[in-house]
Structure formats: structure tokens, C-alpha cells
Amino acid sequence: MELLFVALGGALLGIGARYLLPGRHSHGSVLVPAVGTAVASIAWVALTWFGLAWDGGWIWWVSLGLAAVTSVAADVQLGRSRTQGDRRMLHTLMKTGHPGHA
């Protein structure tokens, strides 16, 4: 049951990263929340395997902290990557290498 709550927390952190950071037009609406959910869940399971108790505070802080950091990093990286790719494609299509010149 606790894994469900940590997964929900990871999804909410991913949604927050998606809508609070710029560049959300450059990737799908579910990608960053899915990253947050997956990271929180995987971290939770790994930490339980390492012996952290589910009712302790550290497992929650580490799992949700990793989810938040990873969601922000994924959102920023996806935005940069997509913007650079779009810019390269524009330059290729224009055949001059400079936007605005025919």
C-alpha cells in the first residue's frame, strides 16, 4: 500500500515539474510524470531491499527527493534537446544555416 502512495507522490512531483518549468510544449504530457512515478517506485523498492523500514522517514525523503530531482532534470534536458533538434532541422530545411535568410 505504501508503494502506491510513493508512486502517487512521484507522479505529483512529475506533474509539478512539467507545469512549473518552461519548455512543456516540447514533450508529451505524460512523460515527465511517468519518470517521476518510475523513479520514486524503483527507489522505494531498492531502499526496502537495503533494509530501510517503510514507516521510517528516510525512505520517503530519499524516494520522493530522487523523483523530484529526476523529474526536473528530465524536463530541462528534454526541453533543451528538443529545442536544439528543432533548430538544427530548421537550418537544414532552409539550406543556408541561418534563419530568416532565403
Side-chain angles (χ1 to χ4, degrees):
M1 187 64 148
E2 291 76 21
L3 182 59
L4 178 65
F5 287 122
V6 81
L8 179 61
L12 292 174
L13 290 168
I15 289 170
R18 171 167 168 68
Y19 289 105
L20 294 175
L21 296 172
R24 67 178 156 264
H25 65 280
S26 63
H27 49 78
S29 61
V30 180
L31 182 58
V32 176
V35 168
T37 304
V39 169
S41 300
I42 291 168
W44 178 273
V45 170
L47 291 171
T48 58
W49 286 347
F50 287 125
L52 270 71
W54 62 268
D55 58 350
W58 281 109
I59 194 168
W60 289 93
W61 284 107
V62 172
S63 297
L64 295 176
L66 284 173
V69 168
T70 307
S71 295
V72 168
D75 189 82
V76 169
Q77 181 59 35
L78 286 166
R80 286 182 187 162
S81 175
R82 181 63 185 266
T83 300
Q84 290 174 354
D86 289 350
R87 193 173 297 134
R88 276 193 306 269
M89 180 60 76
L90 177 64
H91 292 295
T92 301
L93 292 174
M94 292 181 62
K95 295 186 182 181
T96 63
H98 300 290
H101 297 107

